[in-house]
Structure formats: structure tokens, C-alpha cells
Amino acid sequence: MIETIATTPLEGQRPGTSGLRKKTPVFQQKNYVENFVQSIFDCLEGFEGSTLVVGGDGRFFNREAIQIVIKIALANGFGRILVGQGGLLSTPAASNVIRQYGAFGGIVLSASHNPGGPHGDVGIKYNVANGGPAPEKVTEAIFARTKEITQYRILNAPDLDLDALQKLRFGAATVEIIDPVSDYAALMQKLFDFERIAALFKSGFRLRFDAMSAVTGPYAARIFEELLDAAPGSVLNATPLPDFGGHHPDPNLVHARHLYDLAMTPDGPDLCAASDGDGDRNLIIGRGRFVTPSDSLALIAANAHLAPGYAGGVKGIARSMPTSRAADKVAEKLKIPLFETPTGWKFFGNLLDAGMATICGEESAGTGSDHVREKDGLWAVLMWLNILAARGESVDAIVTKHWAEYGRNYYARHDYEEVESDGANALIDALRTALPSLKGRQFGDLRIAGADDFSYHDPVDGSDSAHQGLRIHFEDGGRIVYRLSGTGTAGATLRVYIERFEPDPARQQIETAAALADLITLSNEIAGIAKFTGRAAPSVIT
Ligand code: VG1
Ligand code: CO
């Protein structure tokens, strides 16, 4: 039943920040998925007879792609394939299944927060045995292989039924369709005080969680409404749809604006939250208070000991470089190490495996811990619920007290989406060349203390990653960071991260845009954003 099919390399199969992401029609090309999946397996050794986990976020074309992945995996010699029912597994749940069942690795079909549908995006990502995204060394090897591939091996069999929980046999190998939620829910019950959170709901606490018609729906419905007995209707858009209902499943202040507006009404829910397409991001808004992901990381690290799974304390905190330095203050106070890594969860894996970090986070709405090797949206919501239940205070009160104690890091990210690649690259090149001359320059009240091109030396495996973002530091502690997105699928996306530290509680309740106004103006001036991109304003501010 195994066939060897001749093929030729296809352009542009280089994985980005988080796997290979392209427009749907690109993925639908003949042999596109086949080439990439065979290239993954060609770069792995010793998986004969072992377990592979397969799942995705339920978007358009996932079912077709999953059939191909399973058939190629069987033809290449995997012994057991675990597939989420309906082809669904959230990214953190896939990470958990890989770890829990001792799998060799996993393949996750997702373009995460990117839109889905015939004109949307599709993505595919390989995770290694620790449950985390493959490190750069592996993704680069896969890319090299895609440029040389001449054939793939595939099982010639009818499509499998992915919807019934069952075990299918293929010779000595099995394909098991598993409940995507139960193992994950059990893990959450171990980490958090479900009784206390249930009591919080019973006391009248109101949650509104928007699954954005993406993968977290079934997880959120089970955990919040069934296990924690939150009021029916606490979970919105709980049915995963192939096109996410035509929406952009990105839980930010633009695409989840309705939640923000709801939370800002005087009788709004106590907590509004959301997750993205594949369930690894989170949005946290208390009544009257939006929590930036960078602040959320710091607050979680400072309060994690209130949750049973973290009662022993936090060993270290890791954040991506552009993430605000709010978490650094917490690490200082707790006298634990703080690691600054490049953007992308794959850089946290080694630190988590080595027990050097317990809590990790990114400014892009990603927070997580050593419980899996991916960021985890529902985990973050449960952590907040556990903290709120334990402290008996509102989100706003907790945030305000945190700032008074540690200082506030005003923070914004400006995205210039789908600009022309040539212009974006020219901007970065010009700024990189100018970096050495920036030190000591004065702009109004702002004086540049230093500027550099961030590179990371992994303290665990000794690998180096260069050109991970251009940083400009100011003498008053402010900072501007520039980098190009590695997840976009059209043109280039320039991300500009702007931050200012404010220790004085009397000045901690200013509008973010006002608190950062001079830095924002300067961010355009220094890099010539308008000149290089032709854009007068960012497309998204988060
Ligand atoms: C973005 C975020 C990054 C995140 C990545 C994947 O990458 O900035 O922090 O890890 O998306 O998240 P980039 O290269 O576009 O800036 V997800 O939820 O899309 O897997
Ligand atoms: Co995601």
C-alpha cells in the first residue's frame, strides 16, 4: 500500500517565527504539503515505530492536510499516530499530548492568529519530543531539504474517519482518534485551584471568554462552563469554524474590540478574555482595565505562587526581547534570573527543559509555563482566575497595586502590515547601518544611551541567533525596538515596539498613547518609516 511518488522542490518553504505559513491557494498546490511533510521526516532520525501527534486549529484545508500528514507518516514508519478528534488540537494541547504520551514529535496544522478560509492562510509546524516548536537548527534543516526533495512516500488508502473516537489499524501501526480536550483539562485541574475558582463563579463573578470560532471553543466550554460551573453564555463563539466566522482570530484590541468595549462598561463582566486561532494566545481585560500582555507576564510571575501548581515558587522568568521589561522588576524582587530571548516560543524550550525558567511570555499575547512547551491561552485565563479568586480583588486593583510597587512600563506595539518587502528591508538595513552613530544623540528631552542589533546566545545549547531586532535605548529608560514579522504571508510587516518606565504612582494612570507620544513621533523620525514604507500611520496598534 506504500507508494513512492516523484516530486520536485517548491519555492519558499522556509519556516518563519512559528512554522510554515502561506496563503491557502499556495498550500493547495500539488505536492505542497507532501513535500514539506516528507522533508520534515527526512530530517529526523530514529522515529521508526514511535508515536506522532497530529492536530490543528480546524481551519479551512486542515482536514485535507491532516489526511496527507497521516498517510505520509504511516508510509515513513511511525508506529502510532494520535490525532485529535475532528483534526482538532489546540497548540498547547498538542504540546501536552506529545509530552504525556512520550511521542517522538507532533505536527500542528495552524496559521495561528492569521485569518482562515479559501483566501486566508494555512500553516504547518513541527514540534519535537519536549512538546515545543522545533528549534532553528531543525527548521533550517527542513528548509534545506525542501530545496532538494525528489520523492515522498505515502500510504495509498482511502481517507480516514477523523470524527469517531476509535483506533484504526494499518499493518503493525495504529491511528488513534483521541478526545482533544480531556488530557488538557486534567492538566489544568492539577495546576489550578478549581474549587476556589468555582466558588468565585458561585459568588457571582462574571467571565466572558470569546473563543473567536476557533479551536479553544470546546476546551473553554468544558473547563469554564462544565468543570467550573461558570454561568451558561460565559463562553462566546465556542464552535470552531473553518473560516472563523469570517473574523480574524487574533485576540487583540482591534479584532476583539467588542470585548474591550464590554469590559469598559460600568456593569461589564469582571473578566473578559479571548484566545486566538490555535489557542496559544490570550487577551485579558478586567472591568475598566486592559492588561497588556507584558504586564500580564509580570503580574502572573509575581502572583503564580497563589496557584497550587506553582506553590513552590518561580525559578526564573523568560521573555522575548521586545516584551516590556515589567517582568524584569519582578525577577529582581524575587531574586530569580530573567532571560531575554528572540521572538518566538521555540527559544524558551531549552530554558524550560533545563529548569531555568518557570514562567515565559511575549508581548504578542503569549504567556505560559513549564507545564507544556508552548504558550497557552486558556492557562493564562485560568491563572488570572486563580489569582483573582485567591486575592479577592478586581483586575484593576491588582494591576494598580502592582504598578505602585514595581513601577509601570507604558507599552505599545505599532504594526505596519503588508508593506512592500523592498521598502521594509531597506528601512532595516539603513537603521542597522546608522546604529553605531545614534549613541549620544539628543532629540528634544530624549537622549540615546545606546543602540544595537539584538543577538541571543542560548545558555543551554550554546547556539547563537543574530539579527533578532534593532534596539534603541534612551537615558530615561525608554526603548524603541524594530523588527520584521516572521509570520506574515503577504509583503512585509514592520513591528515597532515602544516602551517607557514610570516609577511614580502619580503618573501611572495616563493614556498609553499620551505617555509614549514623544517616543512614538521619534520612532518614525529615526527610522524614516513614512519614507521607506509610504505609510503615515500603523495599521494596528496593540
Ligand atoms: C508573532 C509574534 C511572536 C509570536 C509569533 C507566533 O511573530 O510577534 O511573539 O511568537 O507571532 O505566535 P512575528 O514574527 O510575526 O512577530 V502565533 O500565536 O501566531 O503561533
Ligand atoms: Co497562536
Side-chain angles (χ1 to χ4, degrees), residues 11-355:
E11 281 286 295
Q13 293 201 315
R14 179 183 228 137
T17 311
S18 180
L20 178 67
R21 288 186 199 175
K22 296 284 177 216
K23 293 279 172 217
T24 304
V26 175
F27 257 88
Q28 288 171 318
Q29 285 174 81
K30 185 164 186 270
N31 291 346
Y32 196 83
V33 175
E34 288 86 343
N35 277 15
F36 191 71
V37 173
Q38 183 64 56
S39 296
I40 296 174
F41 298 152
D42 285 348
C43 294
L44 307 178
E45 268 170 37
F47 58 79
E48 189 77 29
S50 66
T51 303
L52 182 76
V53 174
V54 182
D57 60 11
R59 72 178 59 219
F60 186 83
F61 193 61
N62 266 16
R63 281 177 176 267
E64 292 85 340
I66 286 174
Q67 295 287 346
I68 298 169
V69 172
I70 296 171
K71 290 175 191 174
I72 294 186
L74 288 170
N76 277 267
F78 278 95
R80 185 187 188 203
I81 301 180
L82 301 174
V83 190
Q85 188 178 23
L88 295 180
L89 270 178
S90 77
T91 287
S95 183
N96 178 52
V97 173
I98 294 170
R99 296 166 66 78
Q100 191 175 323
Y101 294 83
F104 189 90
I107 290 186
V108 180
L109 274 298
S110 171
S112 192
H113 60 288
N114 298 18
H119 308 292
D121 294 343
V122 175
I124 185 164
K125 171 168 91 155
Y126 179 66
N127 282 26
V128 294
N130 74 354
E136 268 188 337
K137 191 171 82 234
V138 177
T139 55
E140 284 303 302
I142 294 168
F143 175 51
R145 182 67 197 160
T146 64
K147 294 192 283 190
E148 289 164 0
I149 189 162
T150 56
Q151 58 180 48
Y152 62 86
R153 286 157 68 75
I154 190 162
L155 195 73
N156 181 1
D159 280 352
L160 290 73
D161 171 10
L162 304 177
D163 294 305
L165 294 174
Q166 58 178 330
K167 193 189 252 189
L168 302 161
R169 293 198 174 278
F170 295 86
T174 59
V175 176
E176 289 167 50
I177 313 298
I178 60 168
D179 172 7
V181 178
S182 53
D183 293 318
Y184 177 83
L187 175 63
M188 293 300 117
Q189 283 176 302
K190 267 190 241 151
L191 298 175
F192 299 111
D193 190 340
F194 269 49
E195 266 177 44
R196 203 165 193 175
I197 300 172
L200 180 72
F201 283 128
K202 204 159 186 208
S203 74
F205 182 96
R206 286 180 299 140
L207 166 75
R208 198 67 95 250
F209 176 85
D210 192 342
M212 303 189 94
S213 306
V215 78
T216 49
Y219 296 85
R222 175 97 55 94
I223 292 172
F224 297 133
E225 293 189 7
E226 286 177 38
L227 298 174
L228 290 167
D229 219 12
S234 297
V235 180
L236 307 174
N237 300 311
T239 306
L241 301 173
D243 67 346
F244 308 120
H247 298 298
H248 198 141
D250 190 346
N252 64 23
L253 294 181
V254 176
H255 301 298
R257 184 78 201 179
H258 58 285
L259 277 184
Y260 179 85
D261 294 339
L262 181 65
M264 294 305 140
T265 55
D267 58 350
D270 298 283
L271 181 65
C272 288
S275 190
D276 69 332
D278 63 331
D280 56 1
R281 295 189 178 205
N282 71 87
L283 172 72
I284 299 289
I285 316 176
R287 190 183 314 107
R289 175 65 65 193
F290 163 64
V291 188
T292 69
S294 295
D295 277 346
S296 183
L297 170 67
L299 274 145
I300 285 177
N303 291 281
H305 62 276
L306 298 171
Y310 306 87
V314 173
K315 281 183 244 160
I317 308 172
R319 63 162 173 82
S320 65
M321 182 275 284
T323 303
S324 100
R325 289 155 301 169
D328 303 28
K329 304 277 175 206
V330 176
E332 231 171 80
K333 182 136 195 183
L334 295 176
K335 299 196 172 55
I336 54 174
L338 182 287
F339 301 94
E340 187 173 43
T341 59
T343 295
W345 210 262
K346 60 187 169 214
F347 293 101
F348 294 135
N350 283 340
L351 298 170
L352 292 166
D353 283 352

Side-chain angles (χ1 to χ4, degrees), residues 300-461:
I300 285 177
N303 291 281
H305 62 276
L306 298 171
Y310 306 87
V314 173
K315 281 183 244 160
I317 308 172
R319 63 162 173 82
S320 65
M321 182 275 284
T323 303
S324 100
R325 289 155 301 169
D328 303 28
K329 304 277 175 206
V330 176
E332 231 171 80
K333 182 136 195 183
L334 295 176
K335 299 196 172 55
I336 54 174
L338 182 287
F339 301 94
E340 187 173 43
T341 59
T343 295
W345 210 262
K346 60 187 169 214
F347 293 101
F348 294 135
N350 283 340
L351 298 170
L352 292 166
D353 283 352
M356 294 162 81
T358 306
I359 304 282
C360 305
E362 296 193 273
E363 52 64 42
S364 55
T367 335
S369 85
D370 56 2
H371 69 292
V372 288
R373 293 294 179 272
E374 291 277 7
K375 54 189 186 270
D376 189 342
L378 285 172
W379 173 91
V381 180
L382 284 164
M383 178 62 98
W384 266 98
L385 286 169
N386 200 138
I387 293 169
L388 291 165
R391 288 187 49 164
E393 294 169 284
S394 69
V395 172
D396 183 40
I398 291 174
V399 170
T400 304
K401 282 186 191 169
H402 185 93
W403 289 339
E405 184 176 352
Y406 296 93
R408 175 173 181 181
N409 291 69
Y410 283 103
Y411 189 84
R413 186 177 96 187
H414 288 207
D415 291 335
Y416 297 79
E417 293 180 326
E418 300 192 10
V419 300
E420 235 197 277
S421 292
D422 290 347
N425 289 325
L427 180 152
I428 293 290
D429 288 345
L431 187 57
R432 184 178 286 127
T433 310
L435 287 178
S437 67
L438 290 178
K439 191 177 171 176
R441 280 185 63 187
Q442 184 86 29
F443 298 87
D445 293 341
L446 295 164
R447 193 179 166 81
I448 295 181
D452 64 359
D453 185 353
F454 179 61
S455 62
Y456 178 62
H457 179 75
D458 185 312
V460 179
D461 69 12

